[in-house]
Amino acid sequence: MEIAFTAEEQAFQDDVRRFLARELPADIRDKVYNARHLDRDEYVRWQKILHAKGWGAPAWPVEFGGPGWSAIQQHIFDEEMALAGAPRTVPFGPKMVAPVIMKFGSPEQQKRFLPRIIAMDDWWCQGYSEAGSGSDLASLKTRAVRDGDHYIVSGQKTWTTLAQYANWIFCLVRTRPDGKAQAGISFLLIDMKTPGVSVHPIITLDGAHEVNETWFDDVRVPVSNLVGEENKGWTYAKFLLGHERTNIAGIGASKRELQRLKKIASTETRNGKPLLDDPHFASRVAQVEIDLMALEVTNLRVLSAERSRRDPGAVSSILKIKGSEIQQTISELAMLAAGPYALADVRQARDAGGAQGLLGPAHATPLAATYFNLRKTTIYGGSNEIQRNIIAHMILGL
Amino acid sequence: MDFEFTEDQNLLAETVQKFMAARYGSESRRAAHKTPGTWSRDVWRTLAEMGIVGLLVPAEQGGIDGGPVETMLVMNAFGAGMLLEPYWSSAVFATALLRRLGGPAAAKLLASLAVGEHLAAVAHAEPGARYDDRVQTLARKAAGGWTLSGAKSVVIGGGAADTLLVTARVQGGDGVSVFAIPRTAEGVRLREYPTIDWRGAADVTLEDVRVKSEALLGGEGAAQKPLDDAQDVALAALCADAVGSMKAALEATGKYLQTREQFGQPIGKFQALQHRMADMLIHFEQAKSMAYLAAMQCEAPDAGERRKAMSAAKVVIGQSGRYIAQQAVQLHGGMGMADELDVSHYFRRLTAHELTLGDTDHHLEKFAAATR
Ligand SMILES: Cc1cc2nc3c(=O)[nH]c(=O)nc-3n(C[C@H](O)[C@H](O)[C@H](O)COP(=O)(O)OP(=O)(O)OC[C@H]3O[C@@H](n4cnc5c(N)ncnc54)[C@H](O)[C@@H]3O)c2cc1C
């Protein structure tokens, strides 16, 4: 047993740090540090910098352009990125659809899509959920009917994150209406510029436009865009769900946000002292930091088990549950730290042209919005209730 | 001891509930949110005609001389319907303060508040003071009146107010005084913005603002007690508003669990969610009890007992409100995140209430100090 990184791992970490110090654009970093929304171009600009270095897709095998890193190296990379204030990787292309295309796609699909994913020439989004099918995803109804060399797709997907930026969507569609629900689903890649595709914004709790409804009205999709075999889509989707284990806990980002929380709490005062010196508040900050430490070690144990090729099983559910709860707690404490100033919906006021020169500190402005936004983390990606069901069934055998 | 309401009180509650159901749907809220200041003068006039705006105004000034229980019932309904109009800030907080300050100038203001022509807001909290009563705004005696300078932050309802009730210290004197300052007075600058729950607020700066001597309400340096008393009335009202929102969020979630189906059954059949709803209900009942206690104690003469009850109420309301808001969103799944549904707005409002008049930590500390 040894908790410290090896000399090589440390050298790798230094490498990553040097790269980030040199290459991460200050304007992007400042936005990330202040929890402001990035626009499409900012995500793309950063991805292109990573790609030029050969680090565009840390988890990909070398044959597809990955750097060939170990799980520990990927973990180090993710964490350094987050701490430095690099944008989060938009997961839908490199982390979601790419592994499916690598494993189940045709060589033509691999050649066509993978290079454009790593260079972020395409922006992908995920078309799984429907109004009637969230936790019970297998009940999905969007239909794809074969018509010669095409499928004709009709139905509605919802909650599609950043579909307003996307030009491709990977969808689960029903290709066989009868029989067992899971056995009639296919995995289809759809060009969003095809006639019949439309994207409709959904405004969320925090007042932001991050998700959408994506409608398909008799959309003609070439059969060559089917991944793998017809009616095997559920298997691929499950593969995808189990695939992305590293970084599901968001430890790097939580460490960064914890630092920000401490900074805010050391400038805010309570009873004439920095809030961070207030025993009650300090112990709450300490508690979440301790939870995060424990989660980090749990995460390293999972990575280590993967290295020795033992199946970590449903443990990713543990990482998801604790990781999301920690993110939420940190954002909640940061909002409470700002006190009454967190009441101002300043983004809105700024839109209306009048928020200059408010009396509160600048850090107060996005804190409530961030707290609101992160309520999503216990809902999406398999809600925490569903994750607990998985633990009960798969680990505990109940 | 008696937890029943009188016939008149029940009638009042029904009247306001009916008004909210008939006139204050989600669409009118959204429309109000889009207008500058996020409130509607039409709604305000109607509430004034109904006598609701003058609920706490004495009969001599044209009000109906109601008390904390009436206020609680009205605020329950406003919390459930998420009224955006500055009722709490003007008709409760500012009105309660004016009543307690007394004097002819305050009486005149009360009379104009009661008819709904005029609005007021208490401008007390200052930048950097967090939730503490720290007043640095300065009033200097000048020929025929006063000159005020200072800053007030996050004045709820400040944008809608015609008159700001500004707390200040008189130069060379002790204690806190309250000055009635017209928003249009020279040297007053308001920066208006919506709060996270869509109501209106403002940051206010005062630069050598000159007012007449009558602007001083109550005695010089004698406003601390009236202010404390009015804050407790306002705190009780805030608790009642929060309880209204909690109840509505609970009901909406219960309904959703019965109608939303996944895996071929209503999600309310899943025991994990049943237990969560049960915990939400327990939180709600505890919160409702404390809102009752706050209403019954907010005017109690024993300052120590009152402090204990009021801070305890705010703690329970803060914690219950947060639990219910978070779980209501969670149990709605993705729909809980949608602006389109009321749950996301209950979430916003309950969060805002926790950050108003002292958060949970602030009142835990006050409670501990009062019980040491
Ligand atoms: C911000 C955001 C972004 C998203 N992005 C995407 C995206 O890009 N692409 C995409 O396809 N989807 C996306 N989603 C959808 C997300 O995956 C679903 O919201 C999620 O699967 C839950 O489904 P639902 O919303 O239908 O809730 P429901 O499934 O209706 O769940 C409602 C409640 O019931 C609980 N519940 C359901 N079943 C059970 C059970 N068996 N036992 C106990 N409790 C249960 C849930 O945990 C939840 O609390 C996103 C969602 C959000 C909020």
Side-chain angles (χ1 to χ4, degrees), chain A residues 21-85:
Chain A
R22 204 175 51 236
E23 299 284 345
L24 178 60
D27 58 327
I28 294 182
R29 182 198 58 209
D30 289 349
K31 270 191 154 180
V32 173
Y33 271 143
N34 292 302
R36 303 200 187 278
H37 290 282
L38 296 180
D39 60 36
R40 186 188 201 278
D41 292 346
E42 286 160 338
Y43 280 112
V44 173
R45 175 150 56 105
W46 175 236
Q47 178 63 21
K48 293 217 175 269
I49 294 171
L50 285 175
H51 180 49
K53 170 81 178 169
W55 293 356
W60 288 17
V62 179
E63 51 178 313
F64 294 117
W69 287 340
S70 69
I72 301 286
Q73 281 177 306
Q74 291 172 43
H75 165 77
I76 291 171
F77 180 74
D78 282 342
E79 176 155 321
E80 292 303 328
M81 287 261 285
L83 287 174

Side-chain angles (χ1 to χ4, degrees), chain A residues 179-193:
Chain A
K180 194 168 179 283
Q182 285 83 349
I185 293 171
S186 297
F187 197 105
L188 212 52
L189 311 177
I190 302 178
D191 182 343
M192 294 185 70
K193 288 195 289 292

Side-chain angles (χ1 to χ4, degrees), chain A residues 196-378:
Chain A
V197 179
S198 59
V199 173
H200 309 262
I202 300 175
I203 303 303
T204 42
L205 175 53
D206 52 329
H209 173 201
E210 187 177 85
V211 291
N212 304 272
E213 289 181 21
T214 307
W215 299 357
F216 301 88
D217 184 13
D218 289 338
V219 176
R220 293 183 71 82
V221 181
V223 170
S224 58
N225 286 7
L226 174 75
V227 175
E229 292 174 47
E230 205 177 78
N231 298 327
K232 288 269 175 71
W234 190 251
T235 317
Y236 310 151
K238 278 212 317 218
F239 162 81
L240 193 163
L241 286 176
H243 185 79
E244 186 51 44
R245 287 223 176 82
T246 64
N247 208 22
I248 191 176
I251 288 165
S254 283
K255 281 188 176 175
R256 181 188 69 226
E257 292 305 300
L258 184 70
Q259 284 175 358
R260 191 160 79 100
L261 163 62
K262 285 185 177 177
K263 211 168 120 210
I264 292 168
S266 61
T267 57
E268 293 287 343
T269 56
R270 176 142 193 260
N271 300 329
K273 286 182 308 184
L275 184 60
L276 202 55
D277 292 346
D278 179 79
H280 189 62
F281 198 82
S283 72
R284 295 215 274 158
V285 174
Q287 183 63 61
V288 70
E289 184 162 3
I290 289 165
D291 283 347
L292 183 56
M293 264 175 83
L295 184 64
E296 185 174 12
V297 181
T298 305
N299 194 37
L300 291 170
R301 277 174 55 210
V302 174
L303 294 178
S304 152
E306 280 187 349
R307 187 169 51 189
S308 50
R309 294 187 199 294
R310 276 180 288 123
D311 180 16
V315 74
S316 61
S317 295
I318 299 175
L319 299 178
K320 194 311 173 137
I321 290 171
K322 284 307 288 183
S324 56
E325 289 176 354
I326 287 169
Q327 272 181 291
Q328 291 183 340
T329 305
I330 293 172
S331 69
E332 188 173 315
L333 288 173
M335 177 188 69
L336 292 172
Y341 298 124
L343 279 168
D345 194 350
V346 180
R347 188 172 36 74
Q348 283 234 16
R350 192 179 296 123
D351 291 346
Q356 298 315 310
L358 288 179
L359 296 172
H363 66 231
T365 53
L367 293 173
T370 304
Y371 164 64
F372 289 179
N373 181 273
L374 291 179
R375 299 316 300 174
K376 72 188 177 187
T377 62
T378 49

Side-chain angles (χ1 to χ4, degrees), chain B residues 11 17 33 89 104 118 143 157 196 210 245 260 262 266 292 332-333 337 372:
Chain B
L11 196 66
Q17 283 161 10
H33 175 232
S89 50
H118 204 83
I196 51 175
R210 297 190 51 112
S245 290
R260 171 70 174 171
Q262 288 289 275
Y292 276 21
H332 276 79
M337 290 295 296
R372 250 196 288 272

Side-chain angles (χ1 to χ4, degrees), chain A residues 165-178:
Chain A
Y165 296 164
N167 58 327
W168 280 87
I169 182 168
F170 59 96
C171 284
L172 293 179
V173 294
R174 186 156 302 287
T175 35
R176 198 166 63 200
D178 46 8

Side-chain angles (χ1 to χ4, degrees), chain A residues 92 125-137 157-162 204 210-211 373 376 378-386 389, chain B residues 256-257 260-263 267 270 272-273 276 329-335 337:
Chain A
F92 310 109
C125 62
Q126 179 187 24
Y128 278 19
S129 305
E130 298 177 6
S133 309
S135 298
D136 181 14
L137 187 59
K157 295 292 178 181
T158 191
W159 310 119
T160 13
T161 299
L162 299 181
T204 42
E210 187 177 85
V211 291
N373 181 273
K376 72 188 177 187
T378 49
I379 295 169
Y380 67 20
S383 74
N384 283 21
E385 287 77 21
I386 295 296
N389 287 347
Chain B
Y256 195 75
L257 292 199
R260 171 70 174 171
E261 292 194 6
Q262 288 289 275
F263 305 101
I267 55 175
F270 299 122
L273 303 192
R276 202 81 56 82
V329 167
Q330 181 68 24
L331 298 194
H332 276 79
M335 286 311 287
M337 290 295 296

